[in-house]
């Protein structure tokens, strides 16, 4: 049924590297994915900052955002997110102020407080490993750089100041939910890989939200996995690529996204099966009717204002078809 859900649909892309294609292929897929999402009326197309992962090519997130924004016309392109502990707030303000000047009204800045990688790589990124948590102060500093011009300020983001790039806080626990509520910012929960605290975080955010210059009412988004196909069986087959990817993360044997397989029998131990099932708790896999029912339940249970989906599907044509099957269920971008 067309427009079954009266909320917007957006897409998270990790610029996935698939077996046999390489990084350049991942960027071509990212452009094609964003163009397809734009045609289908999706609201945003975000990229996530991860490092030292063979399956993820979106490490230089702001560079990729600019590339994709330059190959699209209307869809909002942004970060979901920038891992702020890896960067000086001034640098991010300058980068996203530049993007906003190039693509006015189309840039989003989602912020996370994790490094997006392992501790050794975090150290290589010149990240402070002192154990102190400067994230709240860094967020406030960044908001100031992107806010109204302060000609008398000794440190200014140029470009950046006066750009008012929309800032989101991202989280996989209750920490960022509480901070987003306190600052009156929109909040996005990473239920596509960390489902445990989804409901608690959303409840805290809504209960403690304080109106601000950015938002008068709470605005929550959740990200889920999506693999849709014409039949349940075909969707389950496509999903085996995703399950293999998750298994590699669990075993710390990371590699590019593998082709789908007809069976995963004997590939995992019972403990690994349980871990994969927990990781993919909010991965919706099936035919349009199956996915519509499950997504409807999820939206009703969470009360979110927007849904974001990410699809680890090996074939570009199959990934595009997955979004084509689901996008008409949602409110198109205005």
């Amino acid at each position: 049924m067309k427009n079954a859900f009266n909320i917007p649909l957006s897409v998270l892309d990790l610029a996935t590297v698939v077996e046999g294609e390489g990084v350049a292929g991942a960027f071509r897929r990212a452009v094609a994915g964003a163009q397809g999402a734009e045609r289908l009326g999706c609201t945003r197309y975000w990229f996530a900052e991860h490092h030292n992962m063979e399956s993820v090519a979106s490490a230089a997130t702001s560079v990729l955002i600019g590339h994709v924004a330059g190959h699209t016309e209307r869809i909002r392109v942004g970060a979901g997110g920038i891992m702020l502990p890896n960067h000086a707030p001034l640098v991010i303000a300058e980068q996203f102020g530049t993007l906003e000047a190039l693509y006015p009204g189309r840039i989003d800045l989602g912020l996370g407080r994790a490094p997006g990688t392992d501790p050794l790589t975090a150290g290589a990124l010149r990240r402070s490993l002192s154990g102190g948590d400067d994230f709240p102060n860094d967020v406030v500093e960044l908001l100031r750089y992107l806010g109204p011009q302060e000609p008398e300020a000794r440190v200014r983001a140029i470009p950046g100041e006066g750009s008012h790039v929309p800032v989101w806080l991202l989280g996989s626990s209750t920490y960022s939910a509480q901070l987003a509520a306190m600052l009156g910012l929109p909040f996005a929960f990473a239920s596509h890989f960390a489902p445990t605290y989804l409901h608690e975080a959303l409840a805290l955010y809504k209960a403690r939200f304080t109106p601000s210059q950015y938002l008068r009412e709470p605005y929550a988004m959740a990200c889920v996995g999506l693999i849709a196909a014409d039949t349940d069986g075909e969707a389950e087959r496509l999903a085996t690529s995703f399950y293999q990817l998750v298994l590699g993360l669990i075993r710390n044997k990371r590699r590019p996204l593998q082709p789908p397989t007809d069976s995963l029998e004997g590939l995992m131990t019972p403990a690994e099966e349980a871990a994969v099932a927990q990781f993919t708790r909010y991965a919706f896999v099936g035919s349009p009717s199956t996915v519509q029912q499950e997504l409807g339940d999820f939206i009703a249970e969470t009360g979110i204002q927007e849904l974001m989906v990410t699809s680890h599907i090996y074939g570009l044509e199959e990934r595009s078809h997955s979004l084509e099957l689901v996008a008409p269920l949602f409110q198109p971008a205005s």
Side-chain angles (χ1 to χ4, degrees), residues 44 236 280 311:
R44 311 173 205 281
E236 287 292 347
T280 61
S311 301

Side-chain angles (χ1 to χ4, degrees), residues 16-30 256-257 314-316:
T16 302
V17 181
V18 305
E19 183 68 30
E21 210 171 80
V23 169
F27 296 151
R28 288 191 292 270
R29 284 168 170 260
L257 188 69
Y314 182 81
L316 177 58

Side-chain angles (χ1 to χ4, degrees), residues 88-98 109 142 145-146 157 159-160 163:
L90 177 60
V91 172
I92 298 305
E94 291 170 342
Q95 290 177 1
F96 279 78
T98 299
L109 174 53
L142 179 53
Y145 287 138
L146 295 172
S163 63

Side-chain angles (χ1 to χ4, degrees), residues 91-277:
V91 172
I92 298 305
E94 291 170 342
Q95 290 177 1
F96 279 78
T98 299
L99 289 167
E100 176 63 26
L102 291 169
Y103 308 104
R106 295 183 54 211
I107 302 300
D108 293 325
L109 174 53
L111 302 174
R113 64 184 282 259
T117 188
D118 58 89
L120 185 63
T121 307
L125 287 163
R126 306 295 191 268
R127 177 175 182 258
S128 170
L129 300 178
S130 63
D133 192 344
D134 297 325
F135 185 66
N137 291 333
D138 286 349
V139 171
V140 171
E141 181 181 348
L142 179 53
L143 288 169
R144 179 171 60 80
Y145 287 138
L146 295 172
Q149 294 183 3
E150 298 180 9
E152 303 305 316
R154 298 184 64 183
V155 179
R156 299 161 61 189
I158 302 173
E161 65 176 15
S163 63
H164 303 285
V165 175
V167 172
W168 294 64
L169 292 192
L170 317 180
S172 57
S173 67
T174 58
Y175 183 101
S176 290
Q178 295 180 73
L179 182 59
M182 183 178 71
L183 297 176
L185 295 172
F187 175 63
F189 192 88
S191 43
H192 60 296
F193 73 86
T196 304
Y197 296 102
L198 168 66
H199 294 284
E200 184 179 354
L202 291 178
L204 274 172
Y205 171 65
K206 293 172 184 177
R208 300 186 182 183
F209 181 83
T210 302
S212 70
Q213 61 182 301
Y214 311 108
L215 278 181
R216 303 309 303 167
E217 297 179 348
Y219 192 95
M221 176 167 66
C223 185
V224 301
L226 172 71
I227 298 177
D230 293 328
T231 66
D232 287 343
E234 176 59 14
E236 287 292 347
R237 191 186 73 85
L238 294 176
T240 59
S241 296
F242 180 36
Y243 301 148
Q244 291 178 78
L245 183 68
V246 175
L247 180 61
L249 295 175
I250 293 168
R251 292 177 173 175
N252 198 28
K253 294 181 179 178
R254 303 169 182 178
R255 56 179 180 165
L257 188 69
Q258 301 296 300
T261 180
D262 291 334
S263 175
L264 294 175
E265 186 176 354
L267 187 63
M268 293 181 268
T269 68
E272 288 171 338
E273 287 183 2
V276 170

Side-chain angles (χ1 to χ4, degrees), residues 10 121 177 228 307:
S10 294
T121 307
L307 183 74

